[in-house]
Amino acid sequence: MEETRTEPHGLGHYVLVIVLVEIVVETATLALSMVYPALPLMAGALRSTHIAWAITIMMVVSGALYPLGGRLADRLGERRLLAVLVGGFAVGSLICALSGSFALMLVGRALQSSAALLPPVAWALFRAILPPRLVPIAVGAVSTGFGVGLVAGPMLSGVLVDHFGYRGPFWFMFGYAVVAALIAVPLLPATPPRYQGRLDLFGASLLAIGMGALLLAVGEGGTWGWRSAGSLAAFSVSGSALLAFVLVERRVREPLLDLGLLHSPAFGLTMLVVCIGAAPVSIFPYAVPQMLESPAAAGADYAFGLSLLQAGLVTLPQGVTAMAAGPLGGWLARSRSPRVVMVAGLLTAAVSMALLALMHRHLYEYALFGAVEGIGFGFYFSATSNLVIAATPRSSMGVASGMAFTAQSVAGAVYTTVAGTVLARHVLPADTRTVLFTGHGYTLVFWIAGGCSVVAAVAAFLMRHGRQPAGEAAETSPLHGQMPAVRA
């Protein structure tokens, strides 16, 4: 006879939990959205021509942290781990705000990378304390509640940089993290430790090296040259470490990752869709601000010479619709299925890319088509989190969600590299200090993003996984059968 589940708290309590988690997780978005605008000023102030490493190092370190995230959450409890991660982000922000050298800045940015683990830990917390019916909506809301940071982050960063220099955004992030740690984290429900075994540190190190080297190779390959010694060495280290990880995990008594997960068609196809479908959500924030901020010049029919704040206002609809689409996608995943949400999101994103490829001469087009892309953005991230949850046993949830975020990071680095390569072949012969690209170059970039989104939508439509409502799928593991009842 099926066990009857009770919910000891009302809906208001659970909504408060979701909001508090979102306040904490928002630091993960601020770590990128507030730093991008400050990079040019940072390069001059720190006298470095390698300022892009302020972004790259976060990708590398976060890829190294993901493997241990799930086990640490099981060992410490999600709330305690959230506090540790936000604390690490705060310390890193303080170091960046006080830094006077490029090396110290990189140290601070490496510590800020701890925020990258917040989203997957939040997913695990939701699965542990929320009723199954609310899990899809919660993960959708948090996954795309990032719209706040994505929209407000660049504009706020522009104001702070103008008044306080490159240190301004880091002081803001420090203050935000302290407030989140002191106010939001203590109000979250505690979850008891569930794992007292030994941590597979050797396996975690191998997986961290493999993922980190892969992110490094993909992120820097376009700059170094794909056949350069640095790129080939990074790819070689990545392949060797990942192969060694698989061999070690087959022998160790308490493996970091259930290798059955890697053989699961559901998880494998989900990762494929996530990687291919990341094209629009990676290329839009890369290409559109660049187009809007480019100075007007002959042959550049897309350039408006906007300030950072003005460009942020034009793209504001994209963030607003993304924030709305996240919870809506979670609700649709619960009432219909995460597969339906993923297909709808990918096709919507493809439409937005096609429209931008065809029409990008007026500001209202960026605002309108950006709003369409925001819907695709919200549905894509909401469906990703719910598909991973449905495809993964709870024991592997932390590592699996970390792998999903790593896959998105790798895919994003690939697509921005591809976009940069395409644009580099379509440079305008302009007598300015700023390198300008032809409108045709941007058109090709948008068509590539739209094409990838269509391919991913077809793959998602054909998948057998994710066809049942997410609230039901969250209770059953495709690998291990019936999961233990999740109690709030």
Side-chain angles (χ1 to χ4, degrees):
M1 183 174 180
E2 186 177 354
E3 178 184 0
T4 301
R5 300 182 183 185
T6 60
E7 297 178 14
H9 301 288
L11 180 62
H13 170 81
Y14 295 122
V15 171
L16 176 61
V17 168
I18 295 171
V19 171
L20 291 174
V21 171
E22 167 57 25
I23 290 173
V24 176
V25 172
E26 200 66 38
T27 56
T29 307
L30 296 176
L32 292 176
S33 66
M34 294 195 71
V35 173
Y36 272 115
L39 287 179
L41 190 59
M42 288 168 59
L46 299 176
R47 299 180 181 179
S48 174
T49 58
H50 303 286
I51 199 63
W53 269 91
I55 302 298
T56 302
I57 194 169
M58 290 200 68
M59 296 171 56
V60 175
V61 175
S62 61
L65 289 175
Y66 281 137
L68 280 176
R71 285 299 188 208
L72 288 175
D74 287 339
R75 192 164 188 138
L76 300 176
E78 283 83 4
R79 186 178 72 174
R80 188 177 299 176
L81 182 56
L82 286 175
V84 171
L85 296 175
V86 175
F89 177 84
V91 172
S93 301
L94 181 61
I95 291 175
C96 290
L98 296 174
S99 66
S101 68
F102 183 58
L104 192 58
M105 172 65 69
L106 292 183
V107 172
R109 291 291 285 166
L111 287 171
Q112 280 192 313
S113 301
S114 61
L117 277 180
L118 291 171
V121 174
W123 295 1
L125 178 65
F126 288 149
R127 197 170 183 180
I129 66 176
L130 296 183
R133 65 185 178 87
L134 294 180
V135 172
I137 298 174
V139 297
V142 169
S143 295
T144 54
F146 296 160
V148 176
L150 290 174
V151 173
M155 293 187 289
L156 180 59
S157 178
V159 173
L160 291 173
V161 168
D162 288 341
H163 289 83
F164 304 103
Y166 76 89
R167 303 175 191 272
F170 292 110
W171 280 117
F172 176 86
M173 286 185 276
F174 170 72
Y176 184 95
V178 170
V179 171
L182 295 179
I183 296 179
V185 173
L187 294 177
L188 291 173
T191 52
R194 296 175 297 274
Y195 178 74
Q196 300 299 330
R198 298 178 59 185
L199 289 176
D200 181 17
L201 295 179
F202 183 55
S205 300
L206 290 173
L207 185 56
I209 292 171
M211 291 295 190
L214 180 60
L215 286 167
L216 178 62
V218 172
E220 295 296 320
T223 302
W224 293 346
W226 297 109
R227 297 182 180 180
S228 67
S231 296
L232 294 177
F235 279 119
S236 298
V237 170
S238 175
S240 301
L242 292 177
L243 176 60
F245 169 75
V246 172
L247 296 176
V248 168
E249 294 302 285
R250 290 183 180 276
R251 297 176 178 272
V252 71
R253 178 175 299 178
E254 298 181 58
L256 175 71
L257 175 65
D258 181 356
L259 292 181
L261 182 65
L262 301 179
H263 297 293
S264 165
F267 184 76
L269 188 54
T270 297
M271 289 299 96
L272 179 64
V273 171
V274 166
C275 289
I276 300 176
V281 299
S282 303
I283 285 179
F284 181 90
Y286 170 81
V288 170
Q290 191 171 226
M291 297 171 74
L292 295 174
E293 295 168 26
S294 294
D301 56 359
Y302 59 84
F304 297 92
L306 301 184
S307 67
L308 182 65
L309 179 60
Q310 291 170 330
L313 291 174
V314 172
T315 57
L316 179 64
Q318 190 266 352
V320 172
T321 55
M323 287 187 290
L328 176 60
W331 179 81
L332 290 173
R334 190 193 73 180
S335 60
R336 299 294 299 275
S337 73
R339 167 182 164 271
V340 168
V341 177
M342 179 62 84
V343 172
L346 292 170
L347 291 179
T348 302
V351 169
S352 70
M353 293 297 101
L355 291 172
L356 281 169
L358 296 171
M359 295 174 282
H360 48 249
R361 297 186 179 185
H362 304 92
L363 287 178
Y364 74 85
E365 293 170 342
Y366 293 90
L368 180 60
F369 304 153
V372 176
E373 197 278 335
I375 298 173
F377 179 101
F379 279 10
Y380 165 82
F381 279 102
S382 177
T384 294
S385 53
N386 282 299
L387 284 171
V388 170
I389 286 176
T392 309
R394 194 176 189 282
S395 60
S396 298
M397 183 63 217
V399 175
S401 56
M403 291 175 66
F405 276 85
T406 302
Q408 288 173 339
S409 296
V410 172
V414 170
Y415 289 126
T416 52
T417 299
V418 169
T421 302
V422 171
L423 292 176
R425 297 177 180 273
H426 296 82
V427 179
L428 276 175
D431 295 329
T432 64
R433 295 183 179 180
T434 303
V435 177
L436 297 177
F437 306 107
T438 65
H440 180 64
Y442 284 109
T443 297
L444 289 177
V445 166
F446 290 130
W447 280 124
I448 291 172
C452 289
S453 195
V454 170
V455 171
V458 172
F461 179 78
L462 295 176
M463 67 166 51
R464 296 182 179 180
H465 163 61
R467 297 193 177 205
Q468 63 184 126
E472 299 175 14
E475 301 177 50
T476 304
S477 164
L479 299 178
H480 291 243
Q482 188 69 24
M483 292 291 290
V486 179
R487 296 185 180 276

